[in-house]
Amino acid sequence: MSINLKSLIPVLNAEWTGSDIDIFIDHISIDSRSLQNGPETLFIALSGVNNDAHLYIQELIEKGVRNFVVHYIPEDCAGKANFLIVKNTLEALQEFAAYYRNLFHFPIIGLTGSNGKTIVKEWLNFLLGPDYNIIRSPKSYNSQVGVPLSVIAINEKHNLGIFEAGISTVNEMIKLEKIVKPSIGVLTNIGSAHDEGFENLQQKINEKLLLFKEATVIIYQKNPLVEQCLNSFSAEYPLKERNLFSWSFTDISADVFILNKENKSDSTNIKYQYKEEIFNLEIPFSDSASIENAISCLLVLLYFKYDSETIQNRVQSLYPVQMRLEVKNGINNCSIIDDSYSSDFQSLKIALDFLESQQKKNASKTIILSDIFQSGFSNEELYSKVAQLISDNKINRVIGIGTTISSFADKFSNCITFQNTAEFIAQIESLNFENETILIKGARSFQFEEIVSLLEEKTHETILEINLNSISHNLNYYKSKLNHNVKLMVMVKAFGYGNGGLEIAKLLEHHKVDYLGVAFADEGISLKNGGIKLPIMVLNPESTSFPSIIQYNLEPEIYSVKGLKAFLKIAREKNLKDFPVHIKLDTGMHRLGFEENTLDELIQTLKGNPTVKIKSVLSHLATSDELQHYDFVISQINLFEKLSSKLISELNINPIRHILNTSGISNFPDAQYNMVRLGIGLYGVSNDPAEQKYLENVGTLKSIISQVRTIPAGDSVGYGRRFMADKETKIATIPIGYADGISRLWGNQVGFVTIKNQKAYVLGSVCMDMLMVDVSHIDCKEGDSVIIFGESPTVVEMAAALKTIPYEIMTSISQRVKRVFFR
């Protein structure tokens, strides 16, 4: 739906300045990277503690965007575009979404709770999809920004909405309620997520219920506390026609009472009573969370008056929800973006934006796309829009799979189509996938996971999952500690502390950090070859790498007179001028750097030398994480101030100065100077237990059970018979060993893995490629998932048990372990 820009002035309570107010907007954007931005885009410049989208407005104007919502007009942008000036751009986004929501009048299901929102939303979309044209929140878009972005995707053809709303503290839900205005409310499981934002559980429930102020029915699991909160809520926000529709395992007064629950290995049969009748329902899951989520869906279907046969037929086809985009290594130097479980227009836009953010490794971009469902458009209009979207994103090759997309193949350039997935797979060898990034996006019914399996690089079944959202969270946490105008260098050495250097560097470049740091030149060269444009400092350059450093525009750290003279010699030979270098001072670490007695020679060597420019002066703290050595750190900082000031004065320069590492950022905030260096904190590890709770886990090392066997008392496990069973013992073998980076000291019941949320201790010695664990107490089978480290055990726990540091655990993970990146 196109919106007249002029009509938004009163909606947003905005002041307008520009040249053409009488134009129409058909696209709202908050992402400056999106290739979907254009002349009919309204870009809303959000700003927060760590980011300010106003900084990208000049760049957007140059790309053709002409309409902006801002709270100030950046310098040099006045008169170049149309600006709606507001007090708060986030509130403006929310006000616009609320205004847009009120243009439509059809049922809206609103979901909130601590756990299960996204899964219930996706399942309801599947269960109700055959009968409705549904608009739903993409992925987990349930925040103060995500909810309005979800709602403004509604169009005239939709006749049912399903939106989730998440909050982390009080006074947030009231804003989301105005945007969603659900007529049907679903309260999912209430747990401990975001407990820190509320005084107690009752306050959390009360806040979440505010989403349902105008809902005519509220679906929930009955328990005394929720009942108490609902009574208070109904008294404060009375609604004559509101119904409460409850379910329970224990309270027979619930509208739907679960009489019996029979768990099988992969499914659960429940017997429930509704309106004095008894029904059976088979749920294709056995875990308690999935059962609760399925029962929430059951109540929605009952509210919509579906008969028991239809309910059973649809519920038994429920599937595990894939809630994230994954980046995987593909065959023939390809990168795979796996979004193989959904195909709707809104999620396609998100996936294409994600493709653009990841597009560094390969210049060529391919999309494998199935028929698109529930768009709200006619097929003619839909595939015209899809073709335009793909063209805007500069996709080089389009592969369509499905009868509908095949009939519109002429709308796409360089397009080949197949009637079904089997036909595509039969010809996959002839399509010559190599040196390209491939977005695989398809509706679940097309079984695109088979395509992903064929195109994915074959490695063994152990993977290291990297959560890019958690990296962003941790980055912003440390950014919030910095003084205004303090720059940020992020260390991506040692393959991003074992997590994957290039992919993390791409994300950091998006977040506009100021510098990247690597240990050796080849790490920096790899990043530059991957398309990274940020300046990169090489901390430990060898003199033999100086020519390569110059060739790839890396910036060396210089820590000795010998090294400086060697670099200057090459710089003169290449006729360089003002090549950036970084001077390392030794203030007490006694590892690398100029000491005080070598400073005069350093100054004399640099004076009047035009070939290099001192970009920064730095030093390294030895004990910033050990406050018992507080006085030593202060002595280091004082010496750094003395020596760097002498350099600045005698060379008449104005370099960046930096001495703080991750622990230093938190423990010595007065020494931030012009820049700080963030290392292991980015990856979710702090040396301070109080700080650790604010960080999110980034890496999860996972494997599977290869085999399960039961041995009698007296039998042994592994090399050297180091474990002897004193009773009948069930053991599981897992395909990961010391060649993958697992310390042999983790064996012999020192360490454990997690299987089905239970600890399984390592029996006997860790082998090169395998380890064995005790699963006598766990109901598990071959193929079940195993957590080696992540949430439990954490790398901090492993390091403590092994008497080492988390750095060693993380950087030891072998390159043969596949890294999978996801949001």
Side-chain angles (χ1 to χ4, degrees):
M1 177 183 287
S2 294
I3 302 287
N4 186 281
L5 186 63
K6 186 176 183 179
S7 69
L8 296 182
I9 294 175
V11 172
L12 306 182
N13 192 24
E15 174 189 343
W16 173 77
T17 178
S19 58
D20 187 2
I21 195 61
D22 200 26
I23 61 175
F24 285 84
I25 299 299
D26 65 6
H27 177 228
I28 304 293
S29 176
I30 62 167
D31 187 350
S32 62
R33 298 168 301 164
S34 176
L35 295 179
Q36 299 158 38
N37 296 327
E40 295 177 332
T41 294
L42 179 62
F43 184 85
I44 301 179
L46 300 183
S47 58
V49 176
N50 304 306
N51 290 294
D52 184 0
H54 294 75
L55 300 176
Y56 310 119
I57 288 177
Q58 178 62 46
E59 179 183 332
L60 286 165
I61 291 173
E62 291 170 1
K63 292 179 178 178
V65 181
R66 290 291 175 265
N67 309 290
F68 299 88
V69 175
V70 299
H71 69 80
Y72 69 90
I73 301 176
E75 291 181 20
D76 302 326
C77 291
K80 296 180 179 179
N82 296 313
F83 292 98
L84 296 178
I85 306 167
V86 298
K87 290 182 179 179
N88 184 300
T89 51
L90 174 58
E91 290 177 4
L93 172 64
Q94 294 170 341
E95 290 293 339
F96 172 76
Y99 158 79
Y100 189 79
R101 160 69 179 90
N102 286 327
L103 300 177
F104 300 91
H105 306 283
F106 53 74
I108 297 286
I109 301 173
L111 300 109
T112 191
S114 303
N115 308 299
K117 298 184 293 294
T118 301
I119 291 172
V120 172
K121 176 202 68 188
E122 293 299 318
W123 282 356
L124 286 176
N125 177 68
F126 170 78
L127 294 166
L128 298 170
D131 308 306
Y132 293 91
N133 197 348
I134 298 173
I135 175 70
R136 73 191 192 279
S137 311
K139 303 294 179 184
S140 299
Y141 271 40
N142 59 30
S143 66
Q144 297 289 307
V145 174
V147 170
L149 290 177
S150 301
V151 167
I152 60 181
I154 297 173
N155 67 48
E156 300 91 334
K157 303 293 176 62
H158 293 124
N159 56 14
L160 178 66
I162 310 175
F163 298 107
E164 56 177 298
I167 57 172
S168 57
T169 188
V170 296
N171 301 320
E172 290 184 344
M173 190 61 85
I174 200 71
K175 299 174 183 176
L176 300 184
E177 189 277 333
K178 294 177 182 177
I179 300 167
V180 179
K181 277 195 174 179
S183 51
I184 301 162
V186 179
L187 183 67
T188 64
N189 176 274
I190 299 294
S192 60
H194 301 299
D195 271 356
E196 65 277 7
F198 304 92
E199 293 178 2
N200 50 48
L201 188 59
Q202 183 173 350
Q203 186 187 51
K204 179 194 283 190
I205 296 171
N206 287 334
E207 183 72 14
K208 289 181 180 292
L209 289 175
L210 292 176
L211 179 64
F212 308 141
K213 281 173 60 177
E214 296 188 28
T216 55
V217 63
I218 300 175
I219 292 168
Y220 66 101
Q221 182 179 7
K222 193 166 190 173
N223 69 56
L225 183 56
V226 173
E227 288 289 318
Q228 178 185 339
C229 294
L230 276 168
N231 289 335
S232 300
F233 171 78
S234 297
E236 187 170 355
Y237 303 101
L239 196 64
K240 185 177 179 181
E241 63 273 21
R242 180 187 292 134
N243 295 309
L244 301 181
F245 193 22
S246 63
W247 68 272
S248 176
F249 289 116
T250 58
D251 190 337
I252 196 168
S253 67
D255 298 291
V256 176
F257 179 57
I258 312 301
L259 295 162
N260 185 48
K261 181 178 68 169
E262 181 185 352
N263 285 99
K264 301 179 180 179
S265 59
D266 294 315
S267 64
T268 303
N269 284 319
I270 65 168
K271 181 182 289 185
Y272 66 94
Q273 179 176 308
Y274 173 56
K275 290 186 175 180
E276 300 183 351
E277 290 190 62
I278 306 297
F279 303 92
N280 289 299
L281 180 66
E282 182 175 354
I283 300 169
F285 299 94
S286 58
D287 63 288
S288 58
S290 295
I291 293 166
E292 285 191 16
N293 292 334
I295 294 172
S296 292
C297 294
L298 166 65
L299 265 70
V300 174
L301 294 177
L302 291 172
Y303 176 76
F304 275 76
K305 295 183 167 47
Y306 283 88
D307 60 75
S308 59
E309 182 179 357
T310 302
I311 291 173
Q312 178 60 78
N313 289 338
R314 294 189 184 180
V315 168
Q316 69 184 8
S317 298
L318 289 177
Y319 52 87
V321 174
Q322 189 83 357
M323 293 190 291
R324 62 200 192 189
L325 294 162
E326 292 186 339
V327 182
K328 304 174 178 179
N329 290 329
I331 60 173
N332 303 326
N333 198 39
C334 291
S335 292
I336 307 295
I337 298 178
D338 180 3
D339 194 14
S340 57
Y341 292 94
S342 67
S343 182
D344 58 83
F345 186 65
Q346 186 68 4
S347 67
L348 174 61
K349 293 165 72 173
I350 293 167
L352 287 168
D353 279 344
F354 183 76
L355 169 62
E356 179 60 24
S357 72
Q358 291 294 312
Q359 185 59 27
K360 296 285 184 184
K361 180 178 176 181
N362 299 307
S364 181
K365 294 184 283 187
T366 295
I367 183 170
I368 302 174
L369 182 65
S370 78
D371 289 345
I372 294 176
F373 303 122
Q374 297 178 345
S375 69
F377 305 111
S378 67
N379 283 337
E380 176 70 31
E381 186 179 5
L382 168 64
Y383 287 100
S384 295
K385 287 179 174 289
V386 171
Q388 185 60 52
L389 198 59
I390 286 174
S391 174
D392 291 343
N393 281 269
K394 299 179 174 60
I395 303 298
N396 303 91
R397 179 163 61 152
V398 179
I399 298 173
I401 299 178
T403 55
T404 308
I405 195 171
S406 294
S407 65
F408 290 95
D410 59 342
K411 292 186 177 295
F412 302 91
S413 59
N414 197 17
C415 177
I416 181 173
T417 62
F418 301 89
Q419 293 296 304
N420 52 56
T421 303
E423 184 181 311
F424 166 82
I425 289 173
Q427 299 186 45
I428 194 169
E429 294 293 336
S430 66
L431 295 172
N432 299 321
F433 291 103
E434 61 180 4
N435 299 315
E436 55 195 302
T437 300
I438 308 166
L439 170 60
I440 301 175
K441 180 139 188 75
R444 184 174 182 82
S445 59
F446 283 84
Q447 298 180 313
F448 272 16
E449 63 270 20
E450 296 181 23
I451 298 175
V452 173
S453 178
L454 290 169
L455 293 179
E456 190 177 0
E457 184 180 49
K458 301 301 180 283
T459 56
H460 73 104
E461 291 160 310
T462 297
I463 63 171
L464 180 60
E465 289 188 343
I466 310 300
N467 189 328
L468 297 176
N469 295 79
S470 294
I471 288 180
S472 296
H473 168 88
N474 297 337
L475 177 70
N476 287 331
Y477 171 76
Y478 284 103
K479 274 186 173 182
S480 71
K481 291 176 171 286
L482 302 185
N483 298 327
H484 183 60
N485 287 335
V486 172
K487 297 180 185 297
L488 181 63
M489 175 184 288
V490 179
M491 311 311 295
V492 290
K493 60 182 180 176
F495 195 54
Y497 287 65
N499 291 286
L502 177 59
E503 289 77 7
I504 292 171
K506 295 174 191 174
L507 182 63
L508 296 172
E509 191 164 62
H510 163 63
H511 282 293
K512 292 192 176 292
V513 304
D514 300 282
Y515 259 93
L516 299 178
V518 297
F520 298 103
D522 56 355
E523 295 175 314
I525 291 168
S526 177
L527 295 180
K528 289 293 186 181
N529 284 336
I532 298 300
K533 294 182 172 57
L534 280 173
I536 299 173
M537 184 177 81
V538 181
L539 280 78
N540 309 319
E542 298 160 321
S543 58
T544 54
S545 69
F546 286 159
S548 296
I549 285 175
I550 293 169
Q551 178 184 348
Y552 286 92
N553 290 313
L554 304 173
E555 301 182 13
E557 174 190 288
I558 303 295
Y559 50 82
S560 68
V561 172
K562 179 182 177 183
L564 174 61
K565 289 180 177 178
F567 187 81
L568 291 176
K569 180 176 183 294
I570 296 173
R572 283 192 297 270
E573 291 171 355
K574 294 182 176 294
N575 296 314
L576 299 182
K577 180 174 173 56
D578 290 338
F579 193 90
V581 298
H582 303 260
I583 300 298
K584 176 75 168 285
L585 302 176
D586 181 6
T587 57
M589 184 79 162
H590 297 329
R591 189 171 62 179
L592 294 174
F594 292 93
E595 295 180 281
E596 186 170 9
N597 61 6
T598 62
L599 208 62
D600 288 337
E601 186 178 2
L602 168 65
I603 291 169
Q604 290 305 312
T605 305
L606 286 171
K607 261 187 179 177
N609 195 312
T611 57
V612 296
K613 177 180 181 179
I614 299 177
K615 200 68 179 288
S616 83
V617 180
L618 67 145
S619 189
H620 198 95
L621 297 178
T623 59
S624 62
D625 58 334
E626 300 177 40
L627 293 182
Q628 68 267 33
H629 297 297
Y630 177 87
D631 290 342
F632 182 75
V633 175
I634 295 301
S635 72
Q636 278 197 272
I637 294 170
N638 289 339
L639 182 57
F640 178 67
E641 172 66 29
K642 175 185 174 182
L643 299 184
S644 60
S645 294
K646 181 176 180 179
L647 271 179
I648 290 168
S649 173
E650 298 209 17
L651 293 175
N652 192 27
I653 56 176
N654 186 29
I656 299 167
R657 290 194 284 180
H658 48 113
I659 192 172
L660 297 186
N661 53 10
T662 296
S663 296
I665 293 170
S666 298
N667 294 332
F668 299 92
D670 292 337
Q672 291 182 9
Y673 286 97
N674 313 102
M675 186 162 73
V676 298
R677 302 187 300 272
L678 177 60
I680 200 167
L682 181 76
Y683 307 98
V685 176
S686 171
N687 293 301
D688 180 0
E691 183 175 77
Q692 183 67 52
K693 65 183 181 181
Y694 296 108
L695 301 178
E696 292 185 358
N697 178 64
V698 168
T700 300
L701 183 60
K702 303 173 75 171
S703 193
I704 64 167
I705 295 175
S706 295
Q707 191 173 48
V708 178
R709 72 178 71 239
T710 299
I711 62 172
D715 272 18
S716 61
V717 174
Y719 288 116
R721 306 193 73 195
R722 291 185 176 86
F723 174 79
M724 300 291 295
D726 58 5
K727 59 184 178 182
E728 185 177 85
T729 305
K730 185 169 69 169
I731 62 172
T733 301
I734 302 164
I736 184 172
Y738 60 78
D740 300 295
I742 304 302
S743 171
R744 295 185 75 246
L745 298 175
W746 194 236
N748 299 307
Q749 296 172 282
V750 171
F752 66 91
V753 301
T754 299
I755 300 173
K756 293 197 168 181
N757 297 315
Q758 298 179 73
K759 291 182 179 180
Y761 280 89
V762 180
L763 302 180
S765 298
V766 174
C767 307
M768 178 181 283
D769 307 302
M770 287 171 278
L771 54 82
M772 288 70 74
V773 298
D774 183 357
V775 293
S776 301
H777 57 299
I778 302 174
D779 180 16
C780 60
K781 62 184 184 303
E782 294 174 8
D784 281 349
S785 179
V786 179
I787 304 298
I788 311 300
F789 67 63
E791 296 289 349
S792 177
T794 66
V795 291
V796 175
E797 291 169 337
M798 289 185 74
L802 296 174
K803 296 181 172 53
T804 183
I805 55 176
Y807 299 75
E808 183 176 352
I809 304 294
M810 295 167 67
T811 57
S812 295
I813 302 307
S814 164
Q815 291 299 296
R816 78 175 186 176
V817 174
K818 178 174 61 177
R819 272 67 173 173
V820 175
F821 301 88
F822 68 90
R823 292 179 188 270

